[in-house]
């Protein structure tokens, strides 16, 4: 089952990490009043060179509502998306915490010769099978993907085509995940549909369900 949301990424600029965290979470507690669900995340201390320090997912009842919530500033990273859970462990709902949950976030830009529809089709029919292996063979508790909704006529092109969230119990589990054969297969298959020289968005984050 799909749900619709707006994904936003933010940089902390000259703010201290603690200052950014407080401001980012407080801002999204205010947003919560106008949305069905809000999930905010901030960079974990293990991040060394992450370009972005915050991510949020603001949920709406329809694709139209998600699109309507977008701003009109193309310099801001905010994308209306359709979200799907790819796979999860049987007890994921119990193990995934509402406060301080660790996840790996990666955003992808499709290969230049692929339409958004073909990119999504390949992801769901082929690449998703490798994410199911991640859940069965590695510490990943849940794999979730969100695809950018096609822009309306005259609208800004999305800054990315998909964002993947991999949930793990700890940063130690995350470190173990990155060296597994299953993750190596995921990275290798990305060559078939991801633009390799596109700007990378990746973040180890702590998630807060507000």
């Amino acid at each position: 089952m799909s749900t619709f949301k707006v994904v936003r990424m933010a940089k902390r600029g000259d703010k201290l990490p603690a200052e950014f965290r407080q401001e980012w979470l407080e801002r999204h507690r205010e947003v919560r009043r106008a949305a069905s669900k809000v999930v905010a995340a901030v960079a974990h201390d293990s991040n060394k060179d992450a370009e972005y320090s915050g991510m949020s997912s603001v949920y709406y009842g329809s694709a139209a509502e998600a699109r309507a919530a977008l701003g009109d500033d193309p310099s801001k990273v905010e994308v209306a998306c359709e979200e799907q859970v790819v796979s999860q462990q049987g007890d994921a709902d119990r193990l995934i915490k509402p406060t301080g949950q660790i996840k790996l976030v990666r955003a992808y830009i499709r290969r230049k010769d692929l339409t958004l529809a073909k990119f999504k089709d390949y992801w769901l029919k082929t690449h998703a099978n490798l994410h199911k292996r991640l859940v069965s063979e590695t510490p990943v508790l849940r794999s979730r993907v969100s695809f950018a909704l096609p822009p309306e006529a005259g609208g800004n092109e999305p800054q990315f085509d998909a964002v993947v969230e991999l949930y793990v119990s700890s940063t130690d589990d995350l470190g173990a995940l990155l060296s597994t054969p299953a993750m190596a297969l995921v990275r290798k298959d990305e060559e078939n549909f991801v633009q390799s020289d596109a700007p990378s968005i990746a973040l180890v984050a702590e998630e807060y369900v507000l």
Side-chain angles (χ1 to χ4, degrees), residues 2 10 25 30 35 41 58 80 108-109 115 122 141 183 185 188 191 207:
S2 298
L25 295 179
E30 293 295 321
V58 182
Y108 297 93
I109 296 174
T115 64
Y122 184 89
L141 301 173
M183 179 56 91
L185 290 173
K188 180 64 178 175
E191 298 173 7
E207 178 180 277

Side-chain angles (χ1 to χ4, degrees), residues 15 44 57-58 62 66 76 105 121 144 146 159 161 163 182 189 193 209:
K15 294 184 176 66
H44 186 269
S57 296
V58 182
S62 68
K76 291 185 177 180
V105 179
D121 187 66
R144 184 163 67 190
S146 300
Q159 290 95 331
D161 297 301
V163 61
D189 189 55
F193 65 99
V209 180

Side-chain angles (χ1 to χ4, degrees), residues 51-203:
E51 183 177 3
Y52 294 89
S53 298
M55 172 194 174
S56 67
S57 296
V58 182
Y59 290 80
Y60 299 93
S62 68
E65 289 179 273
R67 284 194 177 99
L70 290 175
D72 196 31
D73 184 351
S75 67
K76 291 185 177 180
V77 179
E78 54 176 12
V79 179
C81 295
E82 175 188 12
E83 175 194 284
Q84 298 181 40
V85 173
V86 181
S87 184
Q88 64 180 14
Q89 293 186 19
D91 53 354
D93 289 339
R94 178 180 62 83
L95 294 174
I96 292 176
K97 302 174 294 186
T99 300
Q101 173 62 47
I102 300 296
K103 65 180 180 180
L104 173 64
V105 179
R106 293 186 67 203
Y108 297 93
I109 296 174
R110 68 184 186 272
R111 219 171 56 188
K112 293 177 181 178
D113 59 323
L114 296 177
T115 64
L116 181 57
K118 289 183 177 179
F119 169 87
K120 181 179 178 181
D121 187 66
Y122 184 89
W123 211 108
L124 291 175
K125 292 182 177 178
T126 301
H127 194 67
N129 293 322
L130 298 176
H131 277 254
K132 291 173 183 176
R133 284 191 61 174
L134 285 180
V135 171
S136 65
E137 298 177 11
T138 77
V140 172
L141 301 173
R142 174 182 292 156
S143 170
R144 184 163 67 190
V145 62
S146 300
F147 296 104
L149 295 172
E152 296 180 320
N156 298 321
E157 285 292 320
Q159 290 95 331
F160 56 79
D161 297 301
V163 61
V164 171
E165 297 161 88
L166 299 178
Y167 289 78
V168 293
S169 294
S170 66
T171 52
D172 287 342
D173 281 352
L174 178 58
L177 163 66
L178 296 177
S179 62
T180 60
M183 179 56 91
L185 290 173
V186 166
R187 294 285 174 82
K188 180 64 178 175
D189 189 55
E190 289 170 1
E191 298 173 7
N192 293 317
F193 65 99
V194 173
Q195 186 64 32
S196 60
D197 60 352
S200 175
I201 298 178
L203 178 68

